[in-house]
Amino acid sequence: MGFDNLSSQSVAPPQWTMRNIDDRNRILFCILNVCKEAFGRLPEVVGIDVVEMALWAKENKPSVITQKNQQAGHGPVSTRVAESDLKVTVEKYLISTAEEDDMEALLGSYVMGIGEAEAFSARLKRELLALEAANVHAMLESEPLVEEVLQGLEAATHCVDDMDEWLGTFNVKLRHIREDIESIETRNNKLEMHSVNNKALIQELDKLLERLCVPSEYATCMSRGKFDEARMTQNIEACEWLTGALRGLEVPNLDSTYGNMRAVKEKRAELKKLKATFVRRASGFLIKYFANLVDSVMSDKNYFSQRGQLKQPDHADLRYKCRIYAHLLQHLKSLDKNCLLPLRKAYCSSLNLLLRREAREFANELRASTKVSISPTTWLEGSPRGNQIGNSTDTSGLSDAYIKMLTIFIPLLVDESSFLAHFMCFEVPALVPPGVGANGNKRGSNDDLGIMNMDSNDSKADLQSLNESLQDLLDGIHEDFYAVVDWAYKIDPLRCISMHLITERYLSGQQADAAGFVRVLLGYLASKISLQFNRFVDEACHQIERNEHNVRQMGILPYIPRFATLAIRMEQYAQGQSRDLVDQAYTKLVSIIFVTLEKVAQTDPKTYDIFLLENYAAFLNSLYDVANFVPTLAKFYQQASGAYEEACMRHINMLIHSQFERLFQFARKIKDLMFTVSPEEIQFQLGLSKMEFRKMLKSSLSGFDKSIAAMHKKLQKSLTSQELLPSLWEMCKKAFMDKYVGITQLAARIYPTESIPSVSEIRNLLASL
């Protein structure tokens, strides 16, 4: 409804009490809100501003107190409702049912006929003034109550002051209690930390004590135990424990703080003393063990070669007994590396005695069981009788004996070297793969040590020490090999060639580091064989040189055909190999032969050319077949062939000039004069006229057939080897024709009008003779 419908009829205002005043104010506030919503603005009320009403409404907001049930044993807690919550609450409970009834009664006391808002506003102002007056009156009436309230407030203030003092006291006590509690908690935390640390410390000390504890069985074993085969497992376990214990007491396996503890130092000293005791006892036992082991073998005569029976050395049982202590040697090396030096010397010296005894007995029986005839040692001296060189005895048994010696002992020495390298813990590469012998044959499983592989990083550092031990192991054994070589040399020096070839084959097969001294031994053997063969070559050279003093020597020297036989035998032994050794011998021998041949020929100038050509021809004929496949001899063959042709030409020219001296002297004069005089003027020179030319031809060619026959007879008489006559006579005729052709050409140029026998006529005449 609008304000226009309100009546201006005056109505007596109602009597307001305190409660009524509050209700009325609330109703008035609601009316103002209604007006604001209806007209979009608030009506102006006389004596009060809208703002003041808003302030009043804010100050008289009712407080809503809520109680929340807490946990058992606690009372209710009052909670002030927030301002925003109050607004909601006021709006929610602004018009209740009773208030709505009161409002309807209030409004009903007025006539709703007002047509203007100003009239309604004026009325509201009057009502507000009356309401204020009633409020003032109510306040005056409530003064005793206010005083009583003030007294209550004052008493409450005193109570609050007392309560504040008590609370201060309680706060101080609570602060002291809190500090005490914090102190107790701190002490408890420290005690708990101490407990945890002590527990960890006890655990660490238990571990340290466990490290420091020496088991009684290990201590007894290492200080007083035995080293027989049955107790080796216990000894190995004790070594492993001692190695681990010593390593456990060293940084970084042990904390550095523990390392300075007296107990740790004392225990470390105790373990080192125990280690030294065990190493000393074990080393002494092994030194005696090696000596006794070898002595037991050497005392058995059936173990070695005997008369009529060659025995191959067998070290399988010996190595088996040594392998029992292979792991012990490894642990001794880890405990004290220096202790291996006396052990290695003891092992090598003991085994060296056995190896030398085996080699000596085997070599002696080998020489005794090999039956061969002695070959001649003077190959190039004396005259051949009864084909003693061509039908020389078979000495292949010497090479077979040498091969047997190497076949038996070189693999044995290589295996012993390899066994030494592994057994005595040298850190070098293996000689051969496990299970394979040095000669390529499979070995028994007993040859494999069954120990862990060595670290090859320290191979070079240990190689020198290994070579020293190998020298101790194989010292002096070369003497028995030398004895076989000397024996074979005395029977057949040329067998040095086949023995050198065999040695080179074995030497090329030994390449492993552990076989270093075996290679040295084979190198010594090769040098020894070369030395012996060179000795034979030197003796042969002396035999050749002795022919130089025989000044009446004629015909073919005996060492010429003997050398061919020697070369054939040398090639048979060389088998296309050992070329350096054989070629050096060829060079030395042939050089001496040629030099000696020249010296012997010079003793008689008359037979100089005949002597050379016959011996060179014998050299060429005897070496023809061998020189075809031996390059070194082929070179000397070519040299001898050139010397032979030169000797032939000198002798033939001498024969030709002795029979036709005037013919060739006349031609030589013409040739000499042609350097200064023209050919046309030569016939006018003194002694070279046409008349002189005709006389010379007549005297030289008138008895041509007789002269040729005399020349042939002289050639035949000068030769001791008639098989050379046909070839030399052909060379002689050819040389004469070549010279005659030159004379005819010279005569045609100088004496063109003179007649001279033609070349064809002379050639036919020579052919008919």
Side-chain angles (χ1 to χ4, degrees):
M1 70 184 66
F3 291 108
D4 294 339
N5 296 327
L6 294 177
S7 173
S8 60
Q9 184 180 355
S10 62
V11 180
Q15 296 295 323
W16 303 96
T17 63
M18 287 294 298
R19 181 178 183 278
N20 296 73
I21 291 172
D22 291 336
D23 295 339
R24 188 173 181 279
N25 288 335
R26 237 179 298 159
I27 294 171
L28 181 59
F29 188 74
C30 293
I31 292 173
L32 291 175
N33 284 336
V34 171
C35 293
K36 182 180 178 181
E37 293 177 359
F39 302 104
R41 63 182 178 85
L42 292 175
E44 297 181 359
V45 183
V46 180
I48 186 170
D49 196 355
V50 175
V51 176
E52 294 178 355
M53 292 180 67
L55 292 174
W56 175 86
K58 180 178 180 181
E59 291 176 358
N60 291 275
K61 288 180 181 179
S63 298
V64 181
I65 300 175
T66 60
Q67 293 183 355
K68 297 181 179 179
N69 293 330
Q70 303 297 323
Q71 297 179 355
H74 297 277
V77 179
S78 298
T79 304
R80 292 287 178 177
V81 179
E83 183 178 351
S84 60
D85 296 337
L86 179 62
K87 181 177 179 180
V88 177
T89 305
V90 171
E91 290 177 357
K92 181 179 180 182
Y93 297 102
L94 185 60
I95 300 177
S96 61
T97 304
E99 290 173 346
E100 187 179 356
D101 294 341
D102 293 339
M103 186 175 179
E104 288 179 357
L106 177 63
L107 293 177
S109 61
Y110 295 94
V111 179
M112 302 296 179
I114 301 174
E116 294 182 359
E118 290 78 5
F120 183 71
S121 176
R123 183 175 177 178
L124 288 178
K125 290 179 181 180
R126 291 193 300 272
E127 291 291 337
L128 183 58
L129 290 176
L131 181 59
E132 290 178 352
N135 287 336
V136 172
H137 179 74
M139 292 174 62
L140 293 175
E141 288 182 349
S142 60
E143 182 179 358
L145 296 174
V146 172
E147 291 179 356
E148 183 179 357
V149 170
L150 291 175
Q151 292 176 357
L153 291 174
E154 185 176 358
T157 303
H158 290 298
C159 291
V160 169
D161 292 338
D162 294 339
M163 183 65 70
D164 183 63
E165 185 177 355
W166 293 344
L167 290 176
T169 303
F170 292 152
N171 188 29
V172 173
K173 291 182 178 181
L174 289 175
R175 186 172 66 251
H176 289 306
I177 293 172
R178 188 181 302 109
E179 292 176 354
D180 293 340
I181 291 172
E182 291 177 355
S183 177
I184 292 171
E185 288 180 351
T186 302
R187 288 198 297 271
N188 287 339
N189 291 336
K190 290 181 179 180
L191 289 174
E192 184 177 358
M193 184 181 298
H194 286 323
S195 176
V196 172
N197 291 337
N198 289 336
K199 185 177 180 181
L201 179 60
I202 290 173
Q203 292 177 353
E204 290 296 324
L205 290 177
D206 289 339
K207 294 179 181 178
L208 182 60
L209 289 174
E210 185 179 355
R211 288 185 179 183
L212 300 180
C213 179
V214 179
S216 58
E217 63 274 12
Y218 292 156
T220 303
C221 178
M222 303 189 80
S223 59
R224 297 186 300 275
K226 297 182 179 180
F227 293 97
D228 52 355
E229 183 177 358
R231 296 178 179 269
M232 281 312 299
T233 303
Q234 298 177 2
N235 289 322
I236 295 302
E237 291 178 355
C239 289
E240 291 176 350
W241 173 85
L242 181 59
T243 303
L246 288 172
R247 190 179 295 112
L249 295 181
E250 299 294 339
V251 179
N253 297 320
L254 181 68
D255 194 282
S256 58
T257 55
Y258 293 156
N260 298 324
M261 294 175 63
R262 187 178 66 180
V264 174
K265 292 180 179 179
E266 292 177 353
K267 185 57 64 175
R268 188 184 295 118
E270 179 183 351
L271 291 178
K272 289 182 179 179
K273 184 177 180 181
L274 185 62
K275 178 190 73 172
T277 301
F278 179 77
V279 169
R280 185 183 67 256
R281 293 178 62 250
S283 299
F285 168 79
L286 288 174
I287 290 174
K288 294 180 181 178
Y289 179 79
F290 295 147
N292 295 335
L293 186 61
V294 173
D295 289 342
S296 64
V297 176
M298 294 185 68
S299 61
D300 184 9
K301 294 183 178 181
N302 295 325
Y303 180 80
F304 301 98
S305 298
Q306 300 177 10
R307 184 174 297 276
Q309 183 181 9
L310 280 174
K311 273 201 171 183
Q312 179 177 352
D314 185 8
H315 291 186
D317 184 64
L318 188 68
R319 293 177 190 171
Y320 172 78
K321 293 179 180 179
C322 289
R323 276 198 307 275
I324 297 173
Y325 300 97
H327 289 287
L328 178 62
L329 283 172
Q330 281 190 321
H331 288 291
L332 287 177
K333 180 181 180 180
S334 63
L335 291 174
D336 185 6
K337 190 174 183 179
N338 294 327
C339 75
L340 290 180
L341 295 178
L343 287 174
R344 289 168 177 172
K345 283 189 173 294
Y347 175 82
C348 292
S349 60
S350 298
L351 195 60
N352 176 260
L353 296 175
L354 177 61
L355 289 173
R356 292 195 64 180
R357 172 81 179 277
E358 291 172 338
R360 184 171 59 255
E361 298 292 344
F362 190 88
N364 291 338
E365 181 57 29
L366 186 64
R367 292 197 298 269
S369 61
T370 303
K371 304 298 181 181
V372 291
S373 300
I374 299 178
S375 295
T377 57
T378 56
W379 280 86
L380 303 179
E381 188 177 37
S383 59
R385 294 188 302 271
N387 294 330
Q388 62 178 357
I389 299 176
N391 298 328
S392 58
T393 58
D394 182 17
T395 59
S396 59
L398 300 176
S399 299
D400 296 339
Y402 183 72
I403 291 174
K404 186 176 294 185
M405 186 73 179
L406 294 184
T407 303
I408 295 299
F409 279 92
I410 293 301
L412 176 65
L413 298 181
V414 171
D415 288 343
E416 286 300 332
S417 300
S418 178
F419 185 84
L420 172 67
H422 288 79
F423 180 61
M424 285 298 171
C425 304
F426 289 99
E427 297 178 356
V428 294
L431 176 64
V432 289
V436 178
N439 55 1
N441 298 326
K442 290 188 177 180
R443 299 182 297 175
S445 59
N446 292 336
D447 288 332
D448 188 4
L449 286 177
I451 59 180
M452 59 185 176
N453 293 329
M454 300 297 177
D455 185 6
S456 60
N457 295 331
D458 299 331
S459 297
K460 294 182 179 180
D462 241 11
L463 188 57
Q464 182 177 0
S465 179
L466 173 61
N467 287 331
E468 294 175 357
S469 296
L470 288 174
Q471 186 171 0
D472 294 337
L473 178 69
L474 306 178
D475 185 34
I477 198 171
H478 61 278
E479 296 177 0
D480 299 298
F481 289 88
Y482 286 178
V484 175
V485 172
D486 293 339
W487 164 72
Y489 172 78
K490 291 178 181 178
I491 297 176
D492 185 2
L494 294 181
R495 280 296 168 183
C496 291
I497 300 174
S498 58
M499 289 191 295
H500 191 273
L501 173 60
I502 296 167
T503 306
E504 285 184 339
R505 290 175 181 173
Y506 273 92
L507 187 59
S508 63
Q510 309 302 324
Q511 299 297 332
D513 290 333
F517 200 78
V518 177
R519 292 200 303 272
V520 174
L521 173 62
L522 291 171
Y524 287 162
L525 277 176
S527 299
K528 176 70 173 178
I529 295 170
S530 299
L531 182 64
Q532 293 287 58
F533 185 71
N534 290 331
R535 176 184 170 188
F536 163 76
V537 174
D538 291 339
E539 291 179 356
C541 291
H542 292 319
Q543 294 172 13
I544 296 173
E545 289 175 345
R546 278 195 286 268
N547 287 275
E548 179 183 349
H549 304 290
N550 189 0
V551 296
R552 302 300 299 174
Q553 185 71 46
M554 295 297 293
I556 299 174
L557 296 179
Y559 56 77
I560 297 295
R562 282 174 174 266
F563 173 75
T565 305
L566 177 64
I568 293 173
R569 177 66 70 88
M570 290 171 65
E571 289 300 322
Q572 290 175 353
Y573 290 164
Q575 298 178 359
Q577 302 182 25
S578 296
R579 295 302 334 161
D580 292 340
L581 185 67
V582 176
D583 290 344
Q584 290 175 6
Y586 286 154
T587 302
K588 197 169 186 179
L589 288 172
V590 175
S591 299
I592 291 295
I593 289 174
F594 288 171
V595 171
T596 304
L597 193 61
E598 290 288 337
K599 290 182 179 180
V600 173
Q602 290 174 1
T603 59
D604 188 2
K606 294 181 180 180
T607 60
Y608 176 80
D609 293 326
I610 291 294
F611 181 80
L612 288 180
L613 69 87
E614 287 184 338
N615 281 276
Y616 280 125
F619 181 86
L620 294 173
N621 293 332
S622 61
L623 285 180
Y624 178 77
D625 295 331
V626 184
N628 284 331
F629 59 87
V630 179
T632 302
L633 291 180
K635 179 183 68 174
F636 289 112
Y637 187 90
Q638 294 295 331
Q639 181 179 347
S641 178
Y644 169 76
E645 291 180 357
E646 291 176 0
C648 289
M649 293 307 299
R650 286 196 302 269
H651 185 63
I652 289 171
N653 290 331
M654 184 271 296
L655 292 176
I656 294 174
H657 283 279
S658 65
Q659 293 297 324
F660 301 95
E661 183 177 2
R662 288 192 62 187
L663 177 64
F664 293 110
Q665 284 183 355
F666 193 88
R668 188 180 301 111
K669 288 181 181 180
I670 294 174
K671 289 181 181 179
D672 294 338
L673 195 60
M674 288 179 67
F675 289 104
T676 57
V677 180
S678 63
E680 294 79 5
E681 297 178 357
I682 291 177
Q683 59 181 335
F684 303 109
Q685 301 297 323
L686 181 64
L688 298 176
S689 63
K690 294 181 179 180
M691 183 65 68
E692 295 293 335
F693 178 71
R694 294 190 198 101
K695 290 180 180 180
M696 181 271 300
L697 287 178
K698 184 177 181 181
S699 61
S700 298
L701 299 179
S702 60
F704 180 75
D705 53 348
K706 293 180 180 181
S707 299
I708 293 299
M711 186 172 62
H712 181 273
K713 186 177 181 180
K714 186 181 291 188
L715 177 62
Q716 184 179 8
K717 185 178 179 180
S718 63
L719 293 176
T720 59
S721 179
Q722 294 301 316
E723 59 268 14
L724 296 177
L725 182 59
S727 60
L728 285 176
W729 180 241
E730 291 298 326
M731 292 176 64
C732 185
K733 290 192 294 184
K734 183 177 183 300
F736 177 81
M737 287 305 303
D738 292 339
K739 292 178 179 293
Y740 187 77
V741 169
I743 291 175
T744 56
Q745 293 176 352
L746 188 64
R749 186 176 181 184
I750 303 300
Y751 308 102
T753 59
E754 297 295 327
S755 63
I756 184 174
S758 65
V759 173
S760 58
E761 291 177 0
I762 297 298
R763 182 177 290 113
N764 293 332
L765 185 60
L766 285 175
S768 63
L769 293 177

